[in-house]
């Protein structure tokens, strides 16, 4: 089994919090990781139970007190959203333990949940201050290649470490097309089409319908596909509504379901008063490129690589890997990752004469900025850095500017960096 970077965060938080909750999309490996940590002795747990078991679910919902008296801590409980009443009773048990034996009040409950909104609602209402909530993603390239995974903050120390790392032999577009769910990566004989087809059906029937009443599953699946082909683009809810012949309110509700269940996420726009005419929309990213390719009806890796979606899928792959580097180290990506698009005037005399300039990604850390452009090319030119002029008013805060591309080696010149995608 591939080692998961996130295990260190779980082990550390189990020493400091009574409750550790692991959230993330279906089949990213939440339950498996906790099982391995239990078997290896990295966390203590008497039992590992799953509330998808109908008998356990009924017991937990009808008698939370009796349930926790019967299944005593330390314990792993999967799919905690199936019994929301347990949150209040877990708080009661934790408070009692902290009063009577505070030294043994950490690592009491390890919970998993694939419906982020229900899990977060339960923690905010009942477990605030005693819980660590950790988000889990599909596998990262670092995990697949058994490499140390650092948060992608491209300062001088980070770049020096990466520059000593040999390029691996990955086929980038094969990996994009295949996807990063553990089962897809590990099982070389797996039929990819059937796996993703089954995933989508189960996702809609088991996850989505527990959150929102979907009467037309065919229309909802078409909606997911519409979002998939927009990965790496601005989020414009009105366009999603129009393309799917649904109300704007419905499109917004359905999109939020995709976010709550970990299928998609958004990057917030960079906001600074020194930059004029910033477009303040979020950007959409599908959390797994393989699933997005399936939903976009792309039949082969070669078809993807030559399609009009190649650039946006390549960008999604890069942004996903950077996102994983933060999440897998227990960090909140929203504190570090932004993007920017701005209307730049071309003429002072002619009204509304402007050009749109965009920077794919901006990493902000320790009051420094690291603007990043992502290009599916191996033909390198410093003219590719031209959009970074958007940040001219903030140039004193820029430590390095990166172009992530298909180059074969890292090139650093006057704080401008050509960064090979195979080093991510």
């Amino acid at each position: 089994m591939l080692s998961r970077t996130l295990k260190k965060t779980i082990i550390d938080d189990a020493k400091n919090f009574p409750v550790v909750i692991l959230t993330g999309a279906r089949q990213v490996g939440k339950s498996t990781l906790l099982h391995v940590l239990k078997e290896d002795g990295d966390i203590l747990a008497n039992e590992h139970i799953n509330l998808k078991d109908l008998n356990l679910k009924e017991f937990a919902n009808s008698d939370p007190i009796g349930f926790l008296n019967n299944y005593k801590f330390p314990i792993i409980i999967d799919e905690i959203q199936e019994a929301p009443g347990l949150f209040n009773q877990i708080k009661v048990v934790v408070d009692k333990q902290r009063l009577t034996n505070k030294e043994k009040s950490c690592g009491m409950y390890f919970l998993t949940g694939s419906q982020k909104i229900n899990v977060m609602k339960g923690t905010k209402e009942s477990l605030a201050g005693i819980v660590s909530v950790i988000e889990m993603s599909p596998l990262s390239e670092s995990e697949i290649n058994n490499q140390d995974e650092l948060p992608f903050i491209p300062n001088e120390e980070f770049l020096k470490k990466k520059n000593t790392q040999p390029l691996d032999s990955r086929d980038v577009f094969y990996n994009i097309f295949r996807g990063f769910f553990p089962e897809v990566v590990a099982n070389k004989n797996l039929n990819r089409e059937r796996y993703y087809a089954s995933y989508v059906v189960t996702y809609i029937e088991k996850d989505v319908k527990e959150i929102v009443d979907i009467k037309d599953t065919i229309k909802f699946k078409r909606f997911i596909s519409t979002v998939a082909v927009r990965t790496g683009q601005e989020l414009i809810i009105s366009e999603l509504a129009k393309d799917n012949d649904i109300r704007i309110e419905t499109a917004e509700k359905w999109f939020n379901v995709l976010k709550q269940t970990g299928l998609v996420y958004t990057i917030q726009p960079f906001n600074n008063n020194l930059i004029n005419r910033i477009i303040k929309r979020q950007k959409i990213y599908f959390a797994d490129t393989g699933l997005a390719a399936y939903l976009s009806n792309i039949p082969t890796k070669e078809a993807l690589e030559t399609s009009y979606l190649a650039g946006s899928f390549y960008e999604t792959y890069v942004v996903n890997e950077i996102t994983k580097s933060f999440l897998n180290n227990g960090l909140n990506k929203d504190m570090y990752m932004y993007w920017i698009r701005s209307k730049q005037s071309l003429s002072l005399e002619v009204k509304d004469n402007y050009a749109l300039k965009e920077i794919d990604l901006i990493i902000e850390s320790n009051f420094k900025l690291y603007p990043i452009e992502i290009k599916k090319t191996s033909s390198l030119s410093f003219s590719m850095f031209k959009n970074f002029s958007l940040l001219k008013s903030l140039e004193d805060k820029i430590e390095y500017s990166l172009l992530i591309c298909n180059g074969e080696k890292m090139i650093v010149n006057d704080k401008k960096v050509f960064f090979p995608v195979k080093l991510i």
Side-chain angles (χ1 to χ4, degrees):
M1 177 186 168
L2 295 170
S3 179
R4 305 302 296 262
T5 306
L6 201 56
K7 69 179 184 180
K8 182 181 184 302
T9 299
I10 296 171
I11 293 169
D12 289 345
D13 285 2
K15 297 174 184 175
N16 295 288
F17 292 90
V19 184
V20 176
I21 300 183
L22 198 54
T23 70
R26 157 180 301 275
Q27 295 186 25
V28 295
K30 303 182 293 294
S31 179
T32 300
L33 177 55
L34 291 181
H35 173 77
V36 170
L37 291 176
K38 173 181 177 290
E39 292 301 303
D40 289 348
D42 292 316
I43 62 173
L44 296 177
N46 297 322
E47 292 189 73
H48 187 164
I49 60 177
N50 192 323
L51 294 181
K52 289 293 184 183
D53 182 304
L54 294 179
N55 291 326
L56 291 175
K57 179 179 177 178
E58 182 181 359
F59 186 10
N61 281 299
S62 62
D63 185 7
I65 296 174
F67 183 87
L68 293 182
N69 284 337
N70 191 68
Y71 296 101
K72 297 184 180 299
F73 68 85
I75 189 171
I76 300 168
I77 305 175
D78 284 333
E79 305 298 345
I80 187 64
Q81 76 276 352
E82 297 291 336
L86 284 180
F87 285 113
N88 285 329
Q89 191 55 32
I90 286 173
K91 174 72 160 56
V92 171
V93 175
V94 168
D95 286 347
K96 182 178 180 180
Q97 179 70 7
R98 295 178 93 183
L99 286 172
T100 58
N101 193 348
K102 190 171 184 179
E103 291 183 359
K104 293 187 177 181
S105 64
C106 292
M108 295 170 62
Y109 293 97
F110 298 91
L111 315 175
T112 74
S114 52
Q115 296 175 10
K116 191 184 302 184
I117 189 167
N118 290 336
V119 171
M120 293 305 296
K121 182 180 179 182
T123 59
K124 286 179 180 178
E125 292 178 353
S126 305
L127 302 180
I130 63 171
V131 62
S132 166
V133 181
I134 302 169
E135 187 173 350
M136 191 172 187
S137 301
L139 287 164
S140 67
E141 289 282 14
S142 294
E143 290 171 328
I144 293 170
N145 292 301
N146 195 29
Q147 296 168 340
D148 290 339
E149 188 165 16
L150 304 171
F152 198 94
I153 301 171
N155 53 28
E156 186 171 357
E157 181 183 2
F158 178 91
L159 293 174
K160 282 182 178 178
K161 286 182 178 178
K162 285 293 184 179
N163 212 10
T164 62
Q165 177 181 314
L167 295 184
D168 56 57
S169 59
R170 79 182 77 159
D171 180 336
V172 172
F173 268 93
Y174 171 81
N175 290 1
I176 292 173
F177 179 73
R178 177 203 62 204
F180 293 87
F181 286 106
E183 182 66 17
V184 175
V185 174
N187 188 348
K188 306 301 181 184
N189 297 317
L190 184 71
N191 184 298
R192 175 188 171 278
E193 290 290 312
R194 287 205 292 271
Y195 174 85
Y196 286 125
S198 173
Y199 186 99
V200 172
V201 170
T202 307
Y203 167 72
I204 293 174
E205 294 297 328
K206 299 294 186 182
D207 294 339
V208 173
K209 288 189 174 181
E210 290 182 3
I211 301 175
V212 64
D213 182 21
I214 302 291
K215 294 182 173 62
D216 190 338
T217 57
I218 294 175
K219 182 171 279 192
F220 186 79
K221 182 179 180 297
R222 186 165 64 244
F223 177 82
I224 306 175
S225 297
T226 306
V227 175
V229 298
R230 281 175 165 78
T231 187
Q233 299 180 26
E234 290 179 57
L235 171 60
I236 305 177
I237 292 292
S238 59
E239 289 187 1
L240 290 174
K242 181 180 177 182
D243 288 353
N244 289 278
D245 193 26
I246 56 178
R247 292 161 55 96
I248 289 177
E249 294 82 359
T250 301
E252 189 166 24
K253 181 190 295 183
W254 286 4
F255 183 79
N256 285 334
V257 168
L258 300 186
K259 283 188 69 175
Q260 292 159 17
T261 50
L263 245 62
V264 303
Y265 63 94
T266 56
I267 299 293
Q268 300 297 318
F270 183 73
N271 195 6
N272 189 286
N273 293 333
L274 296 177
I275 303 174
N276 295 323
R277 308 184 82 174
I278 293 176
I279 296 173
K280 297 180 180 180
R281 291 195 189 103
Q282 301 174 67
K283 214 170 181 183
I284 309 168
Y285 289 100
F286 227 84
D288 187 79
T289 53
L291 179 58
Y294 167 77
L295 289 165
S296 302
N297 202 28
I298 299 172
T300 64
K301 164 230 172 181
E302 290 76 18
L304 173 59
E305 197 166 5
T306 57
S307 78
Y308 76 98
L309 293 172
S312 60
F313 270 70
Y314 186 88
E315 178 183 326
T316 299
Y317 165 77
V318 171
V319 174
N320 281 355
E321 290 304 307
I322 293 174
T323 297
K324 293 170 194 174
S325 80
F326 288 107
L327 296 180
N328 289 347
N329 283 282
L331 301 174
N332 182 353
K333 69 170 180 60
D334 292 331
M335 302 295 292
Y336 297 89
M337 299 175 65
Y338 306 90
W339 82 289
I340 186 170
R341 176 178 284 175
S342 177
K343 295 179 179 180
Q344 300 293 294
S345 178
L346 297 176
S347 171
L348 296 176
E349 290 78 25
V350 182
K351 186 180 179 181
D352 292 332
N353 186 18
Y354 60 84
L356 289 173
K357 282 191 175 181
E358 176 180 330
I359 299 174
D360 294 326
L361 195 63
I362 298 173
I363 305 295
E364 184 173 21
S365 177
N366 291 328
F367 306 105
K368 293 293 184 180
L369 299 177
Y370 305 89
I372 298 171
E373 279 283 87
I374 302 165
K375 301 289 186 186
K376 183 183 71 71
T377 182
S378 53
S379 300
L380 308 181
S381 167
F382 283 102
S383 65
M384 295 176 179
F385 290 82
K386 63 183 179 181
N387 281 359
F388 295 148
S389 63
L390 260 178
L391 301 178
K392 186 174 178 59
S393 58
L394 299 170
E395 60 184 355
D396 59 318
K397 292 187 175 183
I398 297 175
E399 188 165 2
Y400 286 98
S401 302
L402 273 69
L403 179 77
I404 298 179
C405 56
N406 285 334
E408 291 300 317
K409 64 177 181 178
M410 187 188 300
I411 300 172
V412 182
N413 186 309
D414 191 27
K415 300 295 183 177
K416 295 182 175 67
V417 183
F418 291 101
F419 192 95
V421 71
K422 290 183 180 181
L423 287 180
I424 287 183

